[in-house]
Structures are given as C-alpha cells and as structure tokens.
Amino acid sequence: MSSHTSAPTLVPRRPGRLLTQNREMRAIGVWNWTLPAWAGRFPDGKTYNTCPSAGICRHVCYARFGTYTWPTVKAKHQANLRFVLDDLPGWEQAMLAELGRRKFRGTWVRIHDSGDFHSDPYLLAWLRVIRSRPETNFYAYTKEVARFRALVEPDPPANFLWVYSFGGTQDAMLDIERDRVADVFPDEEAIAAAGWHSQEASDLLAVLGPRLVGIPANRIPHFLHRLGGRTFRSWQEEVDAERHAQRRRRGGLRLVHGDARPRPSASTGSDQVPAAERHGRAA
C-alpha cells in the first residue's frame, strides 16, 4: 500500500478589503474597485484579459505603468480578479457586505480604476450589487459598448452612471450626438479647442459634467510620443481604417494562371499589425 498522499488543494487567499482609495480619489470622496489592466498571467500560469474590447488604449494605458506594476499592487489586483473568476457568487456577497457599511452611504464608487466589464455574468453581478445598495452611487468608464447596449441601457439602475471611452475596438458603435463619451487629448488646450469639457478638476465630471468629456493625456514621455498629438479616437480610427484596407487587399487577391497559390502582397509578414501601430507616431 502506498504511503503517498495527494497534496491539499490550495485555495487562493481572498482580499480582506475590496474597495480602496488612492490619493486623488480620496480628495473627492470616491472609492475604487480595481482589476489588473488588460491581459496578463497569474503566478500559476493561467492567463486573463480584463479589457477584451481594448484597442489602441492598451499601448498607453496608465494602469500598465508605474505603481500599478509594483509587485504588492499587482498581487492585490490579481487577487481581486481571482476572487471574481473563481467564485463570482462569493465575490458578490462580499461586495454587498462591504458596501453595507455606514461609511459608503451617500458616497461614490468608481468601478474599475483599471480593467473593464469583461463578461456578461460579471456585469450582471455588478448590476445586482448596485441595485441592492441604492444609498451608494456608482460610476464607470467602459469600452464594452455592445455589452452595455444589451444589458444596461434598457433598464439602468438609478444610482449608476457611465461614460463610454474612445480607444477601443467598438468605437464605431459610439454616437457623439447621443452617447456620453470620453476621449483622451494631448493636453488641456486641445480639449478646449475641440469644444469638449475637461474632467481634470474632478473625475466625477466624467459622469456629472457635460456629455463630451475630455481627458488630458498622462505626462509620461514615451506615452506622449506614441500618442503623437492625436486623440484616442483619431488614433483608433487610423488603425481601424488600415485594418479595413488590409482586409480588402487580402480579399482582392487573384490566382495566377498555372499557380494554385495566391501570391502574397509586396509587404512582409509584419503587415498583420497595422502600420499605424508599428511606425511613426504610434511607434
């Protein structure tokens, strides 16, 4: 008889506190719920993507830079995500319990200091939480336009406000004549010149101020270099247009007589990534 026993299954440690405040948000009385930004890998090798509709924004995302990359901060954000992915009902109950504390009454919670509503079940869980805590106000930026059109817009909770942010793969679905939208601009002067309204004085202006929201770009030199004087909206339009042109070129390939294989275009294999992301201002 073998004396070998299987190793016990390790249960990930759950965060003791779900909502936090950084210095900027504390100044305006806002609490944060945070996930890791965009795509990554847990220590056990499993991968994730918290921003499935991220477009060019992933190249200059503030949450993939600086303090967000510190090991202790990254571990905290990944622990939040593991809780959601491993035990969504348990996470929902824990969030409800924390929000039931007196200090959250009449306050604001920003859902996702980084990350996004990455799945339908996760968004629906948040909507249940929001409706169950009517004395707390919630807001979010999101690039999940189609998901919100289907699950939020038909019957939004009264205490939940959101703004669609440009720079994602669903930008084409946005209507600046109807939707509340946010775009990142090179600086405050560019926001004013476009006739948009800055939220620099308070992040709450993204949902409480005028509908066209301007966000000044982070003053990180290599991010500003990649932005190249554009807005997120115009940069994403360049990338989308080039991808569309590439698809048309591939669709227009012709077979040459005597050769059953379509001939490649004159460009190299790197044409799988649009030039707007490889060269010039996006480099």
Side-chain angles (χ1 to χ4, degrees):
M1 179 177 176
S2 171
S3 60
H4 174 74
T5 58
S6 59
T9 302
L10 295 178
V11 178
R13 185 176 180 180
R14 300 306 186 203
R17 185 175 56 160
L18 301 178
L19 300 171
T20 59
Q21 284 183 313
N22 58 29
R23 182 174 59 184
E24 178 184 353
M25 293 305 185
R26 187 179 298 114
I28 59 175
V30 174
W31 294 84
N32 301 314
W33 163 250
T34 308
L35 297 177
W38 193 45
R41 188 181 301 273
F42 292 115
D44 64 5
K46 293 182 179 178
T47 59
Y48 58 81
N49 186 340
T50 63
C51 303
S53 295
I56 56 87
C57 62
R58 69 188 186 276
H59 298 303
V60 287
C61 177
Y62 68 90
R64 300 178 65 203
F65 182 80
T67 58
Y68 286 83
T69 65
W70 292 0
T72 54
V73 175
K74 183 177 180 179
K76 164 63 176 173
H77 296 169
Q78 288 191 338
N80 286 347
L81 180 58
R82 286 304 294 255
F83 197 177
V84 167
L85 297 179
D86 294 345
D87 183 12
L88 186 58
W91 170 85
E92 184 176 335
Q93 291 305 310
M95 182 62 77
L96 280 170
E98 187 162 329
L99 286 166
R101 299 173 65 183
R102 183 179 298 273
K103 70 177 182 179
F104 292 111
R105 296 179 185 176
T107 63
W108 285 86
V109 172
R110 174 174 169 175
I111 305 174
H112 303 135
D113 186 33
S114 66
D116 207 339
F117 298 93
H118 52 81
S119 72
D120 287 358
Y122 175 59
L123 174 54
L124 291 170
W126 260 117
L127 291 174
R128 290 190 295 269
V129 167
I130 292 167
R131 287 192 169 94
S132 296
R133 292 291 178 259
E135 294 181 337
T136 302
N137 303 298
F138 300 82
Y139 77 105
Y141 296 78
T142 185
K143 291 179 172 63
E144 294 299 323
V145 185
R147 185 165 283 133
F148 266 60
R149 295 271 199 253
L151 300 180
V152 181
E153 289 191 12
D155 183 26
N159 56 329
F160 180 39
L161 300 175
W162 67 93
V163 54
Y164 293 118
S165 53
F166 281 109
T169 60
Q170 299 184 15
D171 278 10
M173 297 179 64
L174 295 174
D175 180 358
I176 65 170
E177 299 299 326
R178 179 176 72 90
D179 295 316
R180 173 174 287 274
V181 291
D183 198 359
V184 173
F185 288 77
D187 49 40
E188 290 282 351
E189 291 73 18
I191 295 173
W196 288 44
H197 306 272
S198 176
Q199 51 69 271
E200 183 71 359
S202 170
D203 195 57
L204 285 171
L205 291 174
V207 291
L208 297 178
R211 187 173 48 78
L212 301 180
V213 180
I215 303 172
N218 287 282
R219 311 316 294 174
I220 302 171
H222 67 278
F223 281 7
L224 292 174
H225 175 70
R226 298 199 76 172
L227 190 59
R230 297 166 293 186
T231 66
F232 274 20
R233 181 187 180 193
S234 62
W235 185 2
Q236 187 67 50
E237 285 176 344
E238 290 177 16
V239 171
D240 291 344
E242 185 163 350
R243 283 179 174 153
H244 179 69
Q246 287 180 356
R247 287 194 294 268
R248 291 190 63 181
R249 287 195 294 270
R250 287 195 294 267
L253 292 174
R254 295 290 186 268
L255 293 180
V256 177
H257 181 69
D259 187 351
R261 297 169 299 173
R263 297 190 182 278
S265 63
S267 59
T268 66
S270 64
D271 67 359
Q272 298 305 308
V273 179
E277 295 187 46
R278 297 197 311 271
H279 304 303
R281 292 176 297 179

